[in-house]
Amino acid sequence: MLTDLPAWAVAAVIALGGLSVAAGIAVFVVDSMARATFALLTSFLAVAGILVALQLPYLAFVTALMMTIEMALMAVFMIMFMMNPAGLMPMTMVHNARGSAVLGAGAFVLLTVGIWTMDWPTRNGAVPADSTRQLGEAIMGSHMLVMLVIGVALFATIIAGTVLATARGRYDRFGAELDAARPDDPVPGGLPR
Amino acid sequence: MTAELVLQIVLTVAAALVGVGVFGALSQQSIVMIMMGFELALNGVLLGGAAAWYFLAPQAPDAQMVVVVALVVMAVEMAMGFAATIAIYRARQVDMVDMATELQG
């Protein structure tokens, strides 16, 4: 069965696919952490472009928006934590590179062999006119449980992230029983309980 | 071009992203770079979900939900990864996994 993707979309999918893989490899090749971040962003934006070609504009928009902000945040963390954020000198920080390369290539080969030897089924039904509507109705209807679980997971992430990232919480300031009369601050004069 | 061939090309790209991500997550020493490897592998999952939706079952929204879940996993992984990075850096001044070996037997 011939694909119903127009020729430009097929060409775009192939070109953007190559770009996303090349940018993904560049993440672990370039010297600078900042460049690695933007290479990863390029990979995500290329995948978002493929989603547009596959008539999933909403998911493409969400991916592009989320990943742009996420990589901007990541660049900030790079500068905070890395010794070589700007790539002013060559840098490789790897351990067990050979074993990792074997495992990565092995995963790729295994998946690729499966992809090219499997007898794929033909498509069941046509692409709906509005994929966003389909997703929205699924979220609010048949797949609501997925969204409920996602909501709880994200809320738990907010709490856990705050707990982990907080340097000095109330137990550090007021003791395990929260009964200290004065907060134990490095610089006195902080707000009381 | 047949639909099956395009599907196989897109899935091969997804497999390549997963493979590069696995290599990065296993080989890098810096915690932030490890997280970038995870993100790259999840990028492949996202692409695979989209390809499955378009080429196999566009009438069912399930593959689209896989993409949404992959996006959420990325967000959670990034938030928890940075929170753990901050916590371990505060406690031990550690920013590379090879330095965090207290639990090694």
Side-chain angles (χ1 to χ4, degrees):
Chain A
M1 190 180 77
L2 286 177
T3 178
D4 55 359
L5 279 177
W8 67 265
V10 175
V13 164
I14 293 173
L16 289 171
L19 175 64
S20 72
V21 175
I25 293 172
V27 168
F28 302 111
V29 174
V30 294
D31 280 335
S32 130
M33 294 285 185
R35 275 175 231 151
T37 310
F38 286 107
L40 188 60
L41 178 60
T42 307
S43 179
F44 281 122
L45 292 181
V47 167
I50 296 177
L51 295 194
V52 172
L54 296 181
Q55 299 182 25
L56 291 168
Y58 170 70
L59 290 176
F61 181 74
V62 171
T63 306
L65 202 62
M66 209 176 108
M67 290 310 146
T68 307
I69 302 297
E70 196 172 311
M71 291 307 126
L73 286 176
M74 204 170 233
V76 173
F77 274 84
M78 293 284 183
I79 294 165
M80 279 163 62
F81 284 109
M82 299 302 140
M83 63 281 284
N84 189 27
L88 298 177
M89 60 191 86
M91 171 199 74
T92 46
M93 295 197 308
V94 293
H95 53 194
N96 197 13
R98 183 188 295 263
S100 308
V102 167
L103 278 171
F108 171 67
V109 168
L110 188 71
L111 291 169
T112 308
V113 167
I115 289 163
W116 288 90
T117 54
M118 184 171 152
D119 190 16
W120 290 98
T122 50
R123 187 158 79 182
N124 184 16
V127 174
D130 189 350
S131 62
T132 311
R133 182 184 184 87
Q134 185 193 38
L135 178 63
E137 285 177 346
I139 286 173
M140 282 304 168
S142 58
H143 290 64
M144 191 182 260
L145 181 63
V146 179
M147 288 313 286
L148 290 176
V149 173
I150 284 174
V152 173
L154 286 175
F155 183 58
T157 304
I158 293 172
I159 295 174
T162 310
V163 168
L164 279 175
T166 303
R168 288 165 43 74
R170 55 181 182 158
Y171 295 106
D172 300 307
R173 298 181 71 220
F174 294 106
E177 302 293 330
L178 292 179
D179 55 358
R182 289 172 165 278
D184 176 24
D185 288 334
V187 177
L191 286 175
R193 185 155 29 137
Chain B
M1 205 179 262
T2 63
E4 186 176 353
L5 183 60
V6 183
L7 168 66
Q8 285 169 325
I9 290 172
V10 176
L11 287 182
T12 306
V13 169
L17 289 172
V18 171
V20 175
V22 167
F23 163 73
L26 290 176
S27 69
Q28 298 296 311
Q29 289 181 313
S30 142
I31 299 174
V32 180
M33 290 297 280
I34 291 173
M35 286 162 55
M36 292 173 90
F38 287 144
E39 298 263 315
L40 209 53
L42 283 166
N43 198 16
V45 175
L46 198 151
L47 186 56
W53 179 80
Y54 187 88
F55 292 104
L56 296 179
Q59 285 293 319
D62 303 63
Q64 284 207 62
M65 294 304 294
V66 170
V67 176
V68 171
V69 170
L71 280 167
V72 171
V73 171
M74 276 185 195
V76 170
E77 172 255 311
M78 166 115 168
M80 293 316 299
F82 280 143
T85 310
I86 290 178
I88 197 168
Y89 191 81
R90 279 222 175 95
R92 299 263 189 280
Q93 303 283 305
V94 161
D95 66 348
M96 304 214 303
V97 284
D98 292 349
M99 293 150 67
T101 53
E102 283 87 357
L103 294 181
Q104 205 170 56

